[in-house]
Amino acid sequence: MKRAGRMSLAAIALVCSLVLVQAETEKADQPARRESALKLKKDGNWKQAYEAFSKLAVDPADDPKQVEHDLNNAIDCLRRLGRLEEVDAFRERVIAAHGKNWRLLRAAEFTRGPHRGGRARYANSYERDRIRALQLMQQAVAAIAREKDEPAVAQFHMDLANMLLANRGYDEAWRLQYLSDLTELPDYEEGYYYYRGGGRGAPVGPHDSRRLAEVQYHFASFLHHQFGVQTMQQYRWYFARAYQEDDSKKDESGTYALHTLGEDETIARLATGIKRFKLPKEFDFIRIFKDVADGKSYAEQSLDTLARMFENRRQYPKAAEYWKQAIERFGEGRNAWRRKRLDQIVANWGMFESILTQPAGRGAGVEFRFRNGKKVSFTAHEVDVKKLLDDVKAYIKAGPARLDWDRMNIADIGYRLVVKGQSQYVGRQVASWDLELKPRPRHFDNRITVSTPLQKAGAYLLTARMEDGPNGPGNTSRIIIWVADTAIVQKPLDEQSYCFVADAVSGRPIPKANLEFFGYWQEYVRDDNRGAGHYVVRTRNFAEFTDADGQVFYEPKENDNRYQWLITATTPDGRLAYLGFTGVWTGRHYDREYNEVKYYTITDRPVYRPAQKVSFKIWANQAQYDREGPSPFAKQNFLVLIRDPKGEKVFEKSYAADEFGGFDGEFTLDKEATLGVYRVELTDRKRTVGHFRVEEYKKPEFEVTIEAPKEPV
């Protein structure tokens, strides 16, 4: 027995030795096996490649620096095979085999595949996967402490920060106030996962000093997104110039006070509302951005961010200084975008505000917004609207194969003159003048109302040229001003179209005005049976004179509703107005409510008791107030049906209407009548025309005492 025991120990030792030799051999063969697996994957042999990669990945002896690649390659093969349901289980087997390999734990991503369709419910695993990833990263923290590769350690901490911030950036930052419970995986959530905003994360203690500027920049960006003044804007990060606001107001927690902020202060929208507060030094994002800007790495991004930030804070002098620094160190940028941003702040600038049509003879006015400059020069030129309209009609009549909207656009003449440079319609100069300006300090916008000498009806191209300043030339702004003495009103009637021409100032009708209608439409003409064809432009042209009340009633011809119409009104004394391009629409009914049939029902009392007699009267008529003679419903028969609250019929009888369309009737309620609301119907007209109530009630008793006067009345 002892001898046998010694032989068994020897055999065990031999087996262990063989196992060790085999393990060492397999470890030595790993590069060749990995290369073979990569070739299988490259050739599209996904099944064999997965088997090879998975065998490497689940092996505890796999190369610690290669196991994450073996894992990802194996998962990629499963996805290509459509075996997504196996991914999670396989990943967990690899994690169990390499629980102390921080590289693998960091690389173990959780990605879900497409839905299965059918009656399955949509679910998202975003929070579940985030918690699982953090569990693995927590497991890897102990191992990373022994790592000597500083860039790898820095990247690890960056990745950890991003995982902590996942789905908690920008608007979702409040989620960071809740601790993530890593002891238990949350369940899957129903519905889709909606992306709520990104965020690069606030890195936690990286060891690679070469990435310090990157870390600081991203950390400052994170803080800025949470506590910057742009958080007061609900939907867009762009915080527009509040030029119309009065910065002299004493509100210390709103847009009025932005220019008063110190660099370590902010006004931000918090969960408790908009607050003004001072930032602790470690969270002072402006200080951090300035520190990064003083270096080399991420200095360009930091300077641009600082410039935009001070623009948002309405601290334009500081913004200008940072744009100047960025230009000096990194150039003006593509298409000189930094120079343009700087000029928007410091250069003399002005712009017309939108304006409506002005009445003739009253002096047209226009709003003008400006900054920095102290003088502006205005010029006004006539616009030859008649020539433009004639050219448009001639172009359409020529029947081009394809209509060019830029040559037909009469709704925006300013676009044609200013953007498209169609100067042939700009006539003589009719006015010019200079205006002294009083700019606000700190590059704030100011606004004034400019009174023009334009009295005569017509269209004018008004140009404003800001004087040059120490920071460069002033800009030029243009606008079209319409001064009107004539107006055209159009509306549809029953089988007709109606136009009214009137004086634009007094509203009085203009008789004998020549109202010209010019219309076009594009007809598709087939060239063969296969559907190929081309467009042909059809036109129509006719004119009518307005009557003594300035009116034209037009009955459209066949296909007129296909046309787009240009309607022009002219008079011998030089009036001109136009409308279009527009449709000429008609209605099938002349005032629907005017012709509507109305029924009016009264009962002798609103509430009845069971067994009482109900008396009613009903009239039928049209809503026309100007029709004379008998009612159109005179002598017609009407079938009256009365239903109780249960919907059951309690009365039915036919009546003939009198010459006014009215008739009356009565019936007696049953002693056991159902209480509630009764409905009166005209069944042959399919209309409910009245209601009354049946209740058990007693009339209220009351006493009236009258004190008679002493003298007879």
Side-chain angles (χ1 to χ4, degrees), residues 156-301:
F156 173 87
H157 284 91
M158 294 285 283
D159 293 340
L160 176 57
N162 287 331
M163 290 181 188
L164 287 167
L165 193 60
N167 199 24
R168 284 152 175 78
Y170 303 120
D171 291 338
E172 299 295 312
W174 57 270
R175 290 170 172 258
L176 292 171
Q177 300 179 48
Y178 297 97
L179 293 177
S180 298
D181 185 1
L182 302 186
T183 63
E184 183 179 356
L185 282 178
D187 199 358
Y188 296 99
E189 299 176 6
E190 287 194 20
Y192 291 100
Y193 159 68
Y194 291 98
Y195 178 75
R196 297 185 175 90
R200 292 298 304 271
V204 183
H207 300 274
D208 186 4
S209 59
R210 292 170 294 182
R211 301 188 67 175
L212 180 59
E214 177 187 1
V215 170
Q216 288 180 314
Y217 175 79
H218 290 315
F219 182 52
S221 297
F222 167 74
L223 295 171
H224 176 226
H225 285 304
Q226 309 315 309
F227 305 120
V229 299
Q230 79 286 341
T231 58
M232 289 188 285
Q233 288 288 77
Q234 186 170 2
Y235 297 111
R236 301 181 68 88
W237 292 117
Y238 175 73
F239 194 77
R241 283 176 174 268
Y243 62 86
Q244 72 277 14
E245 295 177 350
D246 181 5
D247 57 312
S248 64
K249 294 188 177 183
K250 295 183 178 180
D251 181 4
E252 294 185 354
S253 58
T255 56
Y256 302 121
L258 288 176
H259 66 285
T260 68
L261 288 173
E263 290 194 358
D264 60 350
E265 286 185 297
T266 189
I267 301 173
R269 187 182 65 183
L270 306 177
T272 55
I274 295 177
K275 302 293 183 183
R276 178 172 183 156
F277 54 95
K278 193 170 184 178
L279 291 163
K281 184 177 180 180
E282 64 270 26
F283 298 139
D284 183 352
F285 48 84
I286 292 180
R287 179 190 64 80
I288 299 173
F289 277 127
K290 290 172 69 174
D291 289 344
V292 177
D294 289 339
K296 294 182 178 179
S297 180
Y298 282 83
E300 182 176 0
Q301 296 93 321

Side-chain angles (χ1 to χ4, degrees), residues 421-597:
Q422 297 177 0
S423 58
Q424 68 269 29
Y425 303 115
V426 180
R428 65 186 181 90
Q429 179 176 306
V430 295
S432 65
W433 70 99
D434 295 336
L435 188 64
E436 299 295 327
L437 303 175
K438 294 182 179 180
R440 295 174 66 188
R442 301 189 299 275
H443 308 298
F444 279 111
D445 289 358
N446 202 355
R447 175 193 275 174
I448 59 172
T449 299
V450 178
S451 298
T452 75
L454 305 174
Q455 303 282 341
K456 183 181 175 183
Y460 301 90
L461 176 62
L462 184 62
T463 302
R465 175 76 169 80
M466 293 289 292
E467 70 171 350
D468 296 341
N471 295 306
N475 78 314
T476 299
S477 180
R478 298 179 179 89
I479 195 173
I480 295 292
I481 291 185
W482 288 91
V483 180
D485 62 356
T486 307
I488 304 174
V489 178
Q490 181 200 23
K491 69 170 292 184
L493 301 179
D494 186 32
E495 305 295 339
Q496 289 181 313
S497 184
Y498 171 80
C499 288
F500 174 63
V501 181
D503 185 275
V505 179
S506 67
R508 290 191 297 268
I510 300 176
K512 296 296 182 181
N514 183 27
L515 204 62
E516 181 186 359
F517 293 78
F518 172 81
Y520 80 93
W521 72 288
Q522 290 180 285
E523 181 183 8
Y524 186 74
V525 179
R526 295 184 182 276
D527 296 332
D528 53 41
N529 294 329
R530 294 176 298 177
H534 63 283
Y535 283 98
V536 176
V537 179
R538 309 294 187 190
T539 62
R540 282 200 62 204
N541 206 160
F542 64 92
E544 300 279 350
F545 285 102
T546 58
D547 60 19
D549 295 319
Q551 303 173 116
V552 167
F553 296 88
Y554 167 63
E555 295 183 5
K557 307 297 187 295
E558 185 179 2
N559 293 329
D560 273 4
N561 60 345
R562 297 184 179 183
Y563 287 79
Q564 288 291 308
W565 295 93
L566 170 61
I567 306 173
T568 309
T570 56
T571 64
D573 59 355
R575 289 179 181 267
L576 171 65
Y578 76 89
L579 182 67
F581 286 97
T582 181
V584 175
W585 307 109
T586 63
R588 292 185 178 179
H589 302 281
Y590 176 70
D591 289 345
R592 181 177 178 181
E593 293 81 4
Y594 180 77
N595 287 302
E596 189 174 0
V597 176

